[in-house]
Amino acid sequence: MGEVHRLPNPEDTERQASDWFARMNADDVTADDHARFEAWLRNHQCNVKAYAELVATWNELARSGPLVRAVYFGQAMNAASARSAGVPRWLAGALAATVVAIGLSGGWTFYKQKDDTRFQTAIGEQVAVMLPDGSSFNLNTNSRIDVDYSQRSRIVRLERGEAYFKVAHDAHRPFWVHAGDRWVRAVGTAFNVYLRPSGVQVTVSEGTVNVVDATGRKSPPSDASYDKSAAALTAGEQADAQGNADVIRALNTAQLSRLLAWRKKNLYFQNEPLGNVVNELMRYTPLKIEVVDDSLRQLPVGGTFQTSPEGAEALLKMLQDGFGAQIRRVGADRVYIEGPAE
C-alpha cells in the first residue's frame, strides 16, 4: 500500500495561524521567528490559506476605524472566554492574542495582556470603546485602562489619565472601576473618573455611584464590607478623594458641562486663572509650558480650546495678540509665557 497523506486538522491549523500572527506582529520578533514562520508556511498549503484568511480579516477590521475595532475586540475577548458559537475559536484567539498593537489611523492602542484587555491613548488622542455588555467608555488624552470582564464581574482599572463611563444596568454584575486608592461602584449610571497626581476625582452625570477606599485591596470589596464606609454620589455631584478624605461638592449644570466637555474634544474656561488653563491644556500637547510671571498666572482667562496640540497653540496666540504677553520658545518642546515687554 502506498503512503497515506493526511490533511492537517483545520482547527489546529487555524490555531497555529493565530499564534504566528501574534508572534510576527510582536515588537520582539526575531530573525529565528521569521525563519520558523517561513518553514511553517512551506510545510503545507493549508497553512498558507489559514494565515491569508486571518490577515484578510485583520485588514478588514483595520479599515473599520478605531471604534469598530474596539467593539469587535471586546466581543472577541468575551466570546473566547465563553466559547461562544457565534465567533470561531481561532478568530477569537487571534484577536485576543498576546500583545497585538494597533497603530493605524490613530495612535491609540489595544492589546491583550494576561487575562484582561488594555486600551491606551497618546497625548492629544481620545478613543470611544463599546463593551460587550452594552456599557461604554471614552478614554481621554494620555490615558490607560484595563478591562477585566467575566460572567460574574465587570472590573475596569484606570491606570493613568481620565475616562467617562456609561454603564449598562446589570444588578447581578456590579461595574467596578479602580483608580489610585479608590474603588468606584456602579450598577447602571454615567460618571467620570480622573486620576490626578493629587488624588482621584469622580464626577457623576447620571444615577448613583459609591466611592470606596481601596487601600490594601486588589479586588473590589464585597457588598457587606463596603456599605458603611462608601461615599455615595448622585447626579451632579463630584468627589475629590485624597488619602482618607472624600470632599464632595454639588455642581450646577454649567459646571458639569464644562468638566465633561473634553468628550466633545473641547475645553471651556470662564474666568479661570491662566495657570490653571495652562496646566489643563498641557495634558493635550507635548509642549512644556511655564508661566514665568506670578501675576500673569492669576490672569482670568475664558474661551474654548481644542483638546489637541492646536488648542495650546491657540492659547499662546491669544495671549500674545490679545494681552501682549511674550511667548519665548526654547527648543521644540518648551515654552515660557512672560509679561508684556517694557
Side-chain angles (χ1 to χ4, degrees):
M1 176 180 282
E3 183 181 356
V4 177
H5 295 275
R6 299 184 183 276
L7 289 174
N9 182 286
E11 287 194 2
D12 289 343
T13 301
E14 291 163 349
R15 177 183 52 77
Q16 292 167 14
S18 68
D19 290 343
W20 276 117
F21 183 82
R23 179 88 292 266
M24 300 310 293
N25 284 277
D27 292 337
D28 59 349
V29 62
T30 65
D32 181 62
D33 290 329
H34 281 283
R36 291 189 297 112
F37 172 62
E38 294 294 337
W40 177 78
L41 289 176
R42 290 193 300 268
N43 189 52
H44 203 285
Q45 183 62 30
C46 290
N47 295 348
V48 176
K49 182 175 182 293
Y51 192 80
E53 289 176 348
L54 179 55
V55 171
T57 301
W58 176 269
N59 290 337
E60 184 65 28
L61 290 173
R63 287 191 292 269
S64 299
L67 177 56
V68 175
R69 291 198 299 273
V71 172
Y72 199 99
F73 286 133
Q75 292 172 338
M77 174 189 68
N78 284 269
S81 63
R83 294 184 176 272
S84 169
V87 180
R89 282 177 293 174
W90 68 272
L91 177 58
L95 295 178
T98 303
V99 197
V100 176
I102 299 172
L104 300 167
S105 59
W108 69 278
T109 303
F110 160 93
Y111 55 91
K112 181 77 174 165
Q113 183 178 30
K114 297 183 180 179
D115 295 323
D116 55 15
T117 302
R118 173 169 293 182
F119 297 85
Q120 67 182 38
T121 53
I123 293 174
E125 294 167 340
Q126 298 174 350
V127 65
V129 177
M130 182 70 71
L131 296 170
D133 66 329
S135 299
S136 63
F137 65 83
N138 294 76
L139 196 60
N140 203 0
T141 177
N142 193 26
S143 300
R144 185 172 69 229
I145 208 167
D146 290 340
V147 179
D148 185 5
Y149 265 38
S150 71
Q151 294 181 347
R152 295 182 178 181
S153 64
R154 298 180 291 175
I155 299 175
V156 175
R157 300 178 191 274
L158 182 63
E159 303 291 341
R160 183 179 70 229
E162 183 174 21
Y164 178 84
F165 301 92
K166 194 168 182 64
V167 181
H169 181 78
D170 187 343
H172 300 292
R173 286 201 306 168
F175 190 98
W176 285 97
V177 176
H178 181 264
D181 58 0
R182 290 295 187 276
W183 281 102
V184 183
R185 183 187 190 273
V187 175
T189 186
F191 60 101
N192 192 82
V193 181
Y194 180 15
L195 183 54
R196 304 181 300 175
S198 59
V200 182
Q201 185 180 80
V202 180
T203 306
V204 182
S205 59
E206 299 176 22
T208 302
V209 305
N210 291 315
V211 181
V212 189
D213 188 351
T215 304
R217 293 173 175 170
K218 294 183 179 180
S219 300
S222 65
D223 288 353
S225 66
Y226 89 85
D227 279 346
K228 293 181 180 180
S229 62
L233 300 179
T234 58
E237 291 186 327
Q238 181 183 79
D240 283 308
Q242 301 180 29
N244 296 325
D246 293 326
V247 179
I248 300 174
R249 65 186 183 115
L251 304 173
N252 60 40
T253 302
Q255 289 173 323
L256 187 62
S257 178
R258 283 198 296 271
L259 283 167
L260 302 179
W262 65 264
R263 294 182 299 137
K264 298 181 179 179
K265 300 186 182 299
N266 286 310
L267 296 175
Y268 301 118
F269 300 102
Q270 184 176 10
N271 294 324
E272 191 74 18
L274 176 60
N276 294 352
V277 175
V278 167
N279 289 339
E280 186 63 20
L281 284 174
M282 274 201 297
R283 297 175 59 200
Y284 302 90
T285 178
L287 290 178
K288 303 300 180 186
I289 305 173
E290 181 179 343
V291 183
V292 177
D293 187 275
D294 289 338
S295 61
L296 198 57
R297 270 196 292 270
Q298 301 304 317
L299 178 71
V301 172
T304 302
F305 301 91
Q306 297 178 34
T307 55
S308 66
E310 289 75 16
E313 292 294 341
L315 172 67
L316 295 175
K317 181 173 176 55
M318 182 190 77
L319 293 172
Q320 186 174 42
D321 296 347
F323 295 89
Q326 304 296 304
I327 307 300
R328 180 165 57 90
R329 297 178 184 266
V330 178
D333 61 354
R334 187 165 293 277
V335 177
Y336 295 93
I337 303 174
E338 302 171 339
E342 298 296 336

